[in-house]
Amino acid sequence: MLVGDIGIANIKAVGASAFASCAVSVQGNTYCWGDDEHFGKLGGGMAQGAVTGPQRVVAGSAASGDKSGSFLYNINSIKIGSVSTCAISNNNNFYCWGHNSNGELWYRDWE
């Protein structure tokens, strides 16, 4: 299936799952879109339902060299799963967001 123009130029990395996708631009800006029902895996700060176009990923507590304003920046690669998303920055920092019911985000708050 051919997908139309999503409004992001110069893509260097893409991640996709069954119901959502993310892309990283050459500049390191990170965008996600698709179904975000209940999990927050699209990085908007909370679960948002369906996101029909690319939205920038919120930086949260990212290191200062990996954020531009309130958005995640300087990202090199990205992977998206069914309930969470992870990215690696050009500074070799590792970030994950989304659902953590079974420790998907690498910290133990699920007990």
Side-chain angles (χ1 to χ4, degrees), residues 21-75:
S21 299
C22 294
V24 178
S25 71
V26 171
Q27 296 82 12
N29 296 318
T30 306
Y31 303 87
C32 293
W33 63 95
D35 183 12
D36 196 24
E37 188 92 18
H38 308 298
F39 301 121
K41 69 182 173 188
L42 300 183
M46 64 181 64
Q48 304 169 72
V51 177
T52 58
Q55 69 171 9
R56 295 277 307 268
V57 173
V58 175
S61 59
S64 61
D66 293 336
K67 59 182 165 183
S68 175
S70 60
F71 298 109
L72 196 58
Y73 175 76
N74 196 34
I75 297 303

Side-chain angles (χ1 to χ4, degrees), residues 43-103:
M46 64 181 64
Q48 304 169 72
V51 177
T52 58
Q55 69 171 9
R56 295 277 307 268
V57 173
V58 175
S61 59
S64 61
D66 293 336
K67 59 182 165 183
S68 175
S70 60
F71 298 109
L72 196 58
Y73 175 76
N74 196 34
I75 297 303
N76 185 47
S77 62
I78 193 161
K79 302 291 182 193
I80 185 169
S82 58
V83 297
S84 59
T85 303
C86 294
I88 300 173
S89 76
N90 290 313
N91 294 325
N92 293 317
N93 293 316
F94 185 71
Y95 301 103
C96 289
W97 57 91
H99 196 52
N100 193 46
S101 63
N102 295 300

